[in-house]
Amino acid sequence: MKYVDANQVQKKMGSRLFANNLAKGLFLIATLFGLVVLVTLIYRVYSDSIGWIDFQFISSKLSTDAERAGILGAISGTLWLMVVVAPVTMFLGVGTAIYLEEYARNGKLKSIIQTNISNLAGVPSVVFGILGLTVFVRSFEFGNVVLAGGLTMSLLVLPIVVVASQEAIRAVPQYLREASYGMGATKWQTIKNIVLPAAIPGILTGLILSLSRAIGETAPLVVIGIPALLIPLPDGIFDKFTVLPMQIYYWTVDSALVAEYANLAAATIVVLLIVLFLMNSIAIIIRNKFQNRF
């Protein structure tokens, strides 16, 4: 039987403490670097937007005159996009998660579906734009309207909702299901009345993350031909539209020609961040309410 040699331990203690402090220092530097970059970006955007965000900027349509330009069309298009993305993503994502966790048998088919969902989460967003252009814009002949853009963005964020919903459903204790079955409930009644209410906090978390990504993506919309310059406001899902990220992209590119466009882009970024913050705050409040309840 071997005993611990206190002398050997003492000799190695110095090098171990040095390695520990070195690792801690490197991690601290990496964290501080990220925070400094983030604070610098936020400060730069905020300083460039000062004096440009007002009611006129929010309520006006796009104009070639920087002093009169507004983002009402982009805000309206973003909201219409969410009208399509939110329900499509929720029903398809949660439905897929329920099937995989509660109905699908362990086997090759389930493994293939699970692997493909995981792989889709790492596919570049521009690939989904090409898919949307091929299927929704050209094959279905929707054109570059709200419906085509919403369906394309739904495909992009669908894996996030599926994976998060699966984890939430999987986390529901098995004894709750068994108690429901013991009371004579069917499988669907158990899922509807027991599993889903208990899994709602995790499902909402995934939905929040997916909508936050969808509202900030630009590449898929550029590929399917969503215009950056659009003066008419969309009135439905079959109208042409533009969104806040596209407006930011357009003003950023053209800021080399008109310097004031950089200020307009910064102001739009601030508005987009506020919209994301409000969306996440409302969703988090709803999630916490259900979490306290179940």
Side-chain angles (χ1 to χ4, degrees):
M1 182 176 181
K2 294 183 179 181
Y3 295 93
V4 176
D5 190 341
N7 294 328
Q8 291 294 332
V9 172
Q10 190 65 29
K11 290 179 181 179
K12 294 181 179 180
M13 187 61 67
S15 61
R16 290 178 178 177
L17 290 175
F18 174 77
N20 179 72
N21 292 331
L22 178 62
K24 186 166 73 171
L26 290 175
F27 296 150
L28 178 61
I29 291 173
T31 303
L32 292 177
F33 178 78
L35 289 176
V36 169
V37 173
L38 178 61
V39 171
T40 303
L41 288 174
I42 293 177
Y43 172 76
R44 179 63 186 275
V45 169
Y46 176 75
S47 61
D48 288 346
S49 67
I50 293 177
W52 291 86
I53 301 178
D54 52 20
F55 181 75
Q56 183 271 334
F57 178 72
I58 300 295
S59 60
S60 298
K61 297 180 181 179
L62 185 64
S63 173
T64 54
D65 183 3
E67 297 292 336
R68 298 191 304 169
I71 56 172
L72 180 61
I75 293 175
S76 177
T78 301
L79 294 177
W80 274 110
L81 186 70
M82 292 300 103
V83 167
V84 176
V85 174
V88 171
T89 304
M90 182 177 67
F91 288 119
L92 289 181
V94 177
T96 301
I98 291 174
Y99 170 76
L100 292 175
E101 291 300 319
E102 299 293 338
Y103 291 101
R105 297 180 180 178
N106 292 328
K108 192 173 182 180
L109 177 61
K110 181 178 179 179
S111 177
I112 292 174
I113 296 174
Q114 195 72 56
T115 302
N116 280 279
I117 290 174
S118 300
N119 290 337
L120 284 175
V123 174
S125 59
V126 67
V127 176
F128 288 96
I130 297 173
L131 177 63
L133 176 66
T134 303
V135 177
F136 303 124
V137 177
R138 294 179 178 175
S139 298
F140 292 172
E141 297 183 351
F142 289 155
N144 51 349
V145 297
V146 174
L147 182 60
L151 293 176
T152 301
M153 301 305 284
S154 297
L155 293 178
L156 172 65
V157 301
L158 193 60
I160 301 175
V161 180
V162 173
V163 173
S165 299
Q166 280 187 269
E167 293 296 331
I169 293 173
R170 199 176 298 148
V172 177
Q174 184 63 29
Y175 65 81
L176 294 179
R177 296 179 175 86
E178 294 173 353
S180 178
Y181 295 145
M183 296 293 292
T186 63
K187 191 175 188 64
W188 171 241
Q189 288 174 332
T190 300
I191 294 172
K192 181 181 68 172
N193 299 323
I194 303 299
V195 177
L196 286 181
I200 277 181
I203 293 174
L204 285 180
T205 300
L207 189 60
I208 294 167
L209 295 174
S210 67
L211 294 181
S212 297
R213 183 180 180 186
I215 204 174
E217 279 287 348
T218 307
L221 300 180
V222 173
V223 174
I224 67 177
I226 300 301
L229 294 174
L230 187 67
I231 295 179
L233 300 180
D235 294 324
I237 61 175
F238 294 103
D239 292 336
K240 292 187 176 182
F241 73 109
T242 190
V243 292
L244 290 171
M246 288 294 298
Q247 198 67 68
I248 295 169
Y249 170 77
Y250 162 72
W251 275 330
T252 302
V253 170
D254 284 1
S255 61
L257 302 176
V258 181
E260 289 79 6
Y261 281 175
N263 301 101
L264 291 174
T268 309
I269 291 172
V270 172
V271 172
L272 179 58
L273 290 175
I274 293 174
V275 171
L276 287 173
F277 177 78
L278 291 176
M279 285 178 55
N280 289 345
S281 298
I282 294 172
I284 288 172
I285 291 172
I286 297 174
R287 184 190 66 185
N288 291 338
K289 180 179 178 181
F290 279 103
Q291 202 166 19
N292 293 332
R293 182 177 175 184
F294 296 97

